Amino acid sequence: MTRRLLILGGTAEARGLAERVVGVPGLRVVSSLAGRVTDPRLPVGEVREGGFGGPDGLADWLREHAIDAVVDATHPFAARMTASAVTAASRTGVPLLVLRRPGWRQGPGDDWHWAPTLEAAAGLLPGLLAGRGERVFLTTGRRSLAVFADLDDLWFLARSVDPPGPPMPRRTLVVLSRGPYTVPGELALMREHRVDVLVTKDSGGEMTTAKLAAARELGLPVVVVRRPAPPDGVLQVDTVEAAAAWVGSHAG
């Protein structure tokens, strides 16, 4: 009998999990991507792109395709998708695992300022930069620029994979780029644009830690937006190996 696994993906962890379980005898694996990024990195195996239409649509899809297990390996800040997965899994009785990479940890020499939300991060900037500059390196994603749009006294270097749309801060330079990044590359970028502060999300992972090391070396403050809390009562692991073991016991 063939068992069916849905991986909600788009992350390196989702691709790593697909590599581990695609080809397992008796297991059909479908990786789902939200379709928000142009030319995404695709996992091995079968892929579907686009949303499900909220928890109701996802529940219908799980029933229609007789899914036996779901791994939510979406971005740590994809709170809406995770909430939909939790609701849909509960309604259908399909086992659900959340795979989340560990968050970053502040180390010696780091000058981090934690913010609970993007809005709070924007609110910190005027006071944090008072008397020390105006130039912000913003790495929170193209959909976040609207939150900073009213900060007319500040200049922004905004990096994203795809071009952002309005609204955005009046003085913004957009750099289109995709990681992984290197410490020398991040140092060169920050020096070239005379960055005074870095704003980022606690996304975790290795692909984007270079900017944190560069900020530390340059003595720059970093505003870090905390990731959303995981849903209550949902099993969560932080490694691909642990997720693959769970798949073996629930969909193998």
Side-chain angles (χ1 to χ4, degrees):
M1 180 180 68
T2 299
R3 307 282 286 176
R4 293 174 172 83
L5 170 70
L6 173 65
I7 300 175
L8 302 173
T11 61
E13 290 73 27
R15 294 190 295 273
L17 179 59
E19 289 179 2
R20 291 285 296 266
V21 298
V22 167
V24 170
L27 181 63
R28 179 183 175 185
V29 180
V30 179
S31 295
S32 176
L33 306 181
R36 293 181 178 177
V37 176
T38 302
D39 192 24
R41 293 189 177 101
L42 297 178
V44 298
E46 185 177 347
V47 177
R48 74 171 296 278
E49 293 193 54
F52 292 95
D56 292 338
L58 178 55
D60 291 342
W61 196 93
L62 296 179
R63 295 188 189 100
E64 178 184 351
H65 294 270
I67 298 297
D68 296 290
V70 178
V71 176
D72 171 19
T74 54
H75 192 276
F77 281 80
R80 183 176 298 177
M81 185 67 248
T82 296
S84 290
V86 170
T87 300
S90 176
R91 290 178 181 174
T92 58
V94 175
L96 170 68
L97 176 74
V98 174
L99 170 57
R100 287 286 185 275
R101 69 186 78 135
W104 292 318
R105 291 188 178 183
Q106 187 172 357
D110 286 326
D111 180 15
W112 287 11
H113 303 260
W114 290 92
T117 63
L118 281 167
E119 289 77 10
L124 285 176
L125 290 177
L128 191 60
L129 286 172
R132 67 185 304 168
E134 63 170 9
R135 302 175 75 83
V136 182
F137 184 18
L138 191 61
T139 64
T140 52
R142 64 186 175 93
R143 296 175 181 272
S144 70
L145 267 66
V147 174
F148 301 85
D150 293 335
L151 298 176
D152 290 337
D153 293 335
L154 303 181
W155 180 93
F156 289 86
L157 173 66
R159 184 166 67 192
S160 62
V161 175
D162 293 320
M168 65 177 70
R170 178 174 58 85
R171 296 192 294 159
T172 300
L173 174 64
V174 176
V175 175
L176 301 181
S177 179
R178 188 198 301 264
Y181 302 102
T182 66
V183 175
E186 297 290 64
L187 283 169
L189 183 67
M190 292 184 191
R191 285 171 174 150
E192 176 187 356
H193 296 286
R194 307 187 310 280
V195 169
D196 298 307
V197 62
L198 168 67
V199 181
T200 190
K201 293 178 178 178
D202 181 21
S203 300
E206 296 298 323
M207 287 181 59
T208 54
T209 56
K211 62 190 172 187
L212 301 174
R216 182 189 312 121
E217 185 169 332
L218 294 172
L220 300 181
V222 182
V223 177
V224 185
V225 181
R226 294 189 186 277
R227 57 176 58 182
D232 293 334
V234 176
L235 181 62
Q236 180 170 317
V237 297
D238 60 9
T239 67
V240 169
E241 292 75 18
W246 182 89
V247 169
S249 63
H250 287 80

